[in-house]
Amino acid sequence: MQRSARTLSSVLHRSCALGAQRSSIVGWKCLAPTRQTDGNFKPMLSVQQLRFYTDKPSAPKFEKEGRANFTIPNVEEFKRLIESDKIYLFDVREPSEVAEGRPPAKRYCNLPIGQVVACMRLSPEEFKEKYGVEKPNKHDSEVVTMCLAGVRSTWALQAFHEFGYVKARHFAGGWAEWNKNYPHYHRKD
């Protein structure tokens, strides 16, 4: 297996019986930007993990989504969609990552990856109370997920599809590609 900053270079999983379901913990090592005392950013290795519930005996396999009908092809197209207000952007990075900046989408929600499945179960009223924005309509809204580099947004995309958001796509380049191409075209909340 190739080792790189954003692949599942260190997949850890354990399964334990939970009635008819199994619980799989999938972990990975990644480089996350960390602010240093001098104000610069330095990539620091961190370990993150998520718990998935499945009826299968093994941990789910995750790869970056690359199929054209589920992926925004490039950063220019992503920018065009943001500027035309055609998407509802779900940023699945952690709030500490988002604090450094985000694309200037008008319809935007920071939804950390660990909250994606739970938020889909909320009523529109509960969603608005918790996140401060409207819950997207499954059939009318074009939902786009993004993260730092496309792995977490793939997971979120799969969850959105499971909950009936059939138009959902993701921006595989993530914040890393956006910030590289448009370093001065973002918002800080």
Side-chain angles (χ1 to χ4, degrees):
M1 178 187 305
Q2 181 182 7
R3 295 171 94 50
S4 70
R6 295 304 305 165
T7 60
L8 298 177
S9 62
S10 173
V11 177
L12 314 166
H13 69 276
R14 67 183 155 100
S15 296
C16 57
L18 295 172
Q21 290 188 328
R22 295 186 183 275
S23 169
S24 294
I25 295 178
V26 178
W28 68 95
K29 292 180 183 174
C30 67
L31 293 176
T34 305
R35 185 182 293 275
Q36 303 298 303
T37 55
D38 63 1
N40 293 320
F41 291 94
K42 178 179 179 186
M44 300 293 288
L45 187 64
S46 69
V47 176
Q48 300 180 9
Q49 67 181 24
L50 295 169
R51 180 180 296 270
F52 294 91
Y53 294 94
T54 179
D55 58 355
K56 297 187 173 40
S58 62
K61 181 179 178 187
F62 294 103
E63 296 176 359
K64 189 186 273 192
E65 176 61 67
R67 292 176 287 180
N69 54 332
F70 297 128
T71 305
I72 294 174
N74 56 53
V75 71
E76 292 80 17
E77 175 68 8
F78 185 51
K79 181 179 183 230
R80 187 190 66 72
L81 290 169
I82 287 172
E83 289 175 337
S84 63
D85 195 25
K86 298 253 186 213
I87 62 171
Y88 194 136
L89 182 59
F90 281 88
D91 189 339
V92 297
R93 296 177 295 155
E94 294 300 315
S96 60
E97 294 174 277
V98 174
E100 303 308 324
R102 68 171 183 86
K106 292 176 188 155
R107 294 184 298 159
Y108 173 89
C109 182
N110 177 220
L111 181 65
I113 188 68
Q115 298 177 26
V116 171
V117 171
C119 91
M120 292 295 109
R121 294 185 173 126
L122 297 175
S123 70
E125 296 79 22
E126 293 169 324
F127 187 93
K128 183 163 185 164
E129 182 179 326
K130 181 167 179 133
Y131 296 103
V133 294
E134 298 291 329
K135 186 174 183 179
N137 181 304
K138 291 180 182 182
H139 306 290
D140 298 333
S141 298
E142 185 172 346
V143 170
V144 174
T145 62
M146 70 161 279
C147 62
L148 182 63
V151 175
R152 289 175 285 178
S153 63
T154 295
W155 300 353
L157 175 67
Q158 291 171 354
F160 274 98
H161 283 181
E162 284 291 318
F163 282 91
Y165 289 84
V166 295
K167 295 180 182 179
R169 297 189 292 166
H170 86 124
F171 175 51
W175 175 250
E177 187 173 340
W178 176 270
N179 201 36
K180 176 182 168 191
N181 287 276
Y182 304 109
H184 303 294
Y185 188 52
H186 61 269
R187 290 182 51 171
K188 287 188 178 184
D189 292 332

